[in-house]
Amino acid sequence: MFNRQKIYIGLAVSAGVCTTVGLYLLYRQQKQISLSKTSRCLTPISTLPSSPSRHDYPSIDIDSPIDVDNDESDSALTPNKIHIPSGSVPLTPDQASILTHFLYESHDNEEQLHYGLKSIANTSVFKESQINLANAGCIARLRELLLTSDNDTTKCHILLALNNLALNDFAITQFSNIVSIVINLCRNSPSSSSIRLYGLSLLINMSVLDYLHEEYMSNVCDLGLLIESTIVSDDEALSSGKVLVNLSVNSSNLENLLKLTGLELKLIVNLFTSRIDQSKKSEDILIRFLIFYCNVAERILSEIQNEGDANNNTSWLTNPTPQRRGALYFEFFDQDKQMLAKSLLRPHYTSTLVNSHMK
């Protein structure tokens, strides 16, 4: 019982410290934004309502709709003589059906296929187009093409189209089995490649709603390997942090999230605090990971508090046996790790600037 009390207290302290640091960094970030005349972000972050959270920082991250430059500036004719808007107006149901059929007909004509994919990406920024394309079976065809295509340009166009379609809460219900395809595609693509950039963006948008979270958790080992490989790139690390924040909002993901490896607090904090002087994006990344750690800690505390509930089996929380070496689980349940976390989150760095960030 004494050990459990120490774990309980350690988690509470870690969550509180992470929250304080995260909110301080957010305050500093927002203050700098208000003083700047130009926007630092090329793709602004929107927010969606989420489950209640005590964080002032958004608990959900979502990537903005992506516009793709099409070869035609106006509407174009398909072989069936149906006008397909280039992106300035939504698709009608008939246009969505024709465009989806066009994807089947042009599978052996790369140029036509790319034109059709660009048209879908551009027009799917509209809610009406997202719904009409989903009803037309477009998402199933995009999934099939993504799985079978060996052309990197084609894959990029598909990922761009899916990114916009994933922003719709109706269309997302037809995204089954896409999560695992995108995770593996990103893992097998070179770092900083367009495929990884668009693939990670899609993983962010597919994780906004809970609908596909089970697919993320079913592929949690591969997801962990992907996230671990993104730490070396600021752009990719920021995307990984956004995915983790979105997944950590859902309490049912806790058991599987604790299986993730490569998320050692010491590595994350030391790496990105050392870069803050050179890269403003490092501060954004650190905020995301701190919020992720805090969300996980809060959900662990909630599980422990509800331990007496007959419908709530929390035996896995106190059993480290199934956990792999380096699992996130030990960041929260190993007493040495807890002490290290409290030390890491104190301002003791050689740089006075970094120290001021960590206060």
Side-chain angles (χ1 to χ4, degrees):
M1 184 65 182
F2 178 68
N3 288 335
R4 176 163 297 184
Q5 288 175 341
K6 289 197 293 184
I7 291 174
Y8 194 96
I9 294 171
L11 288 170
V13 171
S14 297
V17 173
C18 284
T19 302
T20 302
V21 174
L23 291 177
Y24 175 82
L25 289 174
L26 177 62
Y27 167 78
R28 180 180 176 278
Q29 181 187 55
Q30 290 177 334
K31 186 176 181 181
Q32 289 179 342
I33 291 173
S34 65
L35 295 175
S36 174
K37 292 183 179 180
T38 59
S39 175
R40 295 190 310 271
C41 298
L42 295 179
T43 51
I45 299 300
S46 304
T47 58
L48 291 179
S50 65
S51 58
S53 172
R54 72 184 187 189
H55 306 306
D56 292 334
Y57 200 81
S59 57
I60 288 293
D61 272 311
I62 175 174
D63 265 15
S64 303
I66 303 172
D67 288 323
V68 182
D69 291 334
N70 218 330
D71 296 333
E72 301 291 339
S73 59
D74 202 350
S75 301
L77 288 171
T78 68
N80 293 317
K81 307 301 181 185
I82 299 294
H83 276 281
I84 302 297
S86 61
S88 56
V89 293
L91 292 173
T92 66
D94 286 343
Q95 289 171 333
S97 296
I98 293 297
L99 194 49
T100 299
H101 185 66
F102 185 65
L103 294 183
Y104 285 94
E105 291 185 338
S106 58
H107 68 278
D108 57 351
N109 187 319
E110 209 167 79
E111 184 178 353
Q112 287 189 6
L113 178 60
H114 290 174
Y115 174 79
L117 291 171
K118 288 178 183 179
S119 296
I120 291 172
N122 283 334
T123 55
S124 60
V125 299
F126 297 101
K127 181 177 180 179
E128 297 94 326
S129 296
Q130 294 163 354
I131 294 173
N132 290 334
L133 286 166
N135 283 328
C138 181
I139 296 170
R141 179 55 179 163
L142 292 174
R143 177 175 54 238
E144 181 182 353
L145 288 170
L146 187 61
L147 189 60
T148 59
S149 175
D150 56 1
N151 182 290
D152 285 353
T153 302
T154 301
K155 291 175 183 177
C156 286
H157 287 313
I158 296 169
L159 291 170
L160 288 169
L162 288 172
N163 258 292
N164 291 344
L165 289 167
L167 300 176
N168 186 275
D169 55 1
F170 170 72
I172 198 69
T173 63
Q174 300 188 23
F175 271 64
S176 59
N177 300 319
I178 292 181
V179 170
S180 60
I181 296 173
V182 176
I183 290 175
N184 290 325
L185 183 60
C186 289
R187 282 192 60 202
N188 295 322
S189 299
S191 179
S192 301
S193 64
S194 295
I195 289 180
R196 272 173 76 102
L197 175 66
Y198 300 145
L200 286 166
S201 177
L202 180 55
L203 288 174
I204 295 170
N205 288 343
M206 290 192 297
S207 65
V208 170
L209 300 176
D210 295 355
Y211 191 81
L212 297 175
H213 281 194
E214 285 189 14
E215 291 193 27
Y216 284 88
M217 297 303 99
S218 297
N219 296 275
V220 72
C221 292
D222 288 333
L223 177 63
L225 292 173
L226 171 60
I227 290 173
E228 190 173 356
S229 72
T230 66
I231 300 302
V232 296
S233 166
D234 278 0
D235 287 334
E236 294 183 2
L238 181 58
S239 293
S240 291
K242 293 177 181 180
V243 173
L244 290 173
V245 168
N246 289 349
L247 293 175
S248 64
V249 171
N250 186 349
S251 59
S252 63
N253 295 336
L254 177 60
E255 183 174 359
N256 284 301
L257 287 176
L258 291 174
K259 298 176 183 177
L260 288 170
T261 57
L263 294 176
E264 185 182 1
L265 181 63
K266 178 180 179 180
L267 170 66
I268 298 296
V269 172
N270 286 347
L271 179 61
F272 294 110
T273 52
S274 67
R275 294 182 188 173
I276 285 179
D277 292 347
Q278 294 78 33
S279 171
K280 180 62 187 68
K281 190 167 290 185
S282 294
E283 188 174 293
D284 299 336
I285 297 168
L286 186 56
I287 288 173
R288 266 34 180 243
F289 278 93
L290 286 173
I291 291 175
F292 166 69
Y293 289 128
C294 193
N295 284 348
V296 173
E298 287 179 349
R299 273 140 192 80
I300 292 173
L301 288 171
S302 178
E303 289 291 328
I304 294 174
Q305 290 168 350
N306 295 328
E307 190 175 16
D309 188 344
N311 297 321
N312 188 34
N313 182 6
T314 59
S315 59
W316 54 271
L317 272 177
T318 54
N319 180 20
T321 304
Q323 302 294 342
R324 295 178 297 164
R325 183 178 179 180
L328 184 66
Y329 176 92
F330 297 107
E331 295 294 312
F332 296 94
F333 287 93
D334 183 275
Q335 292 183 21
D336 291 338
K337 292 278 189 178
Q338 288 186 358
M339 295 303 296
L340 178 62
K342 285 184 279 188
S343 174
L344 286 168
L345 296 172
R346 288 203 309 264
H348 68 285
Y349 297 92
T350 55
S351 167
T352 55
L353 181 59
V354 170
N355 283 337
S356 67
H357 293 165
M358 299 302 293
K359 283 182 181 178

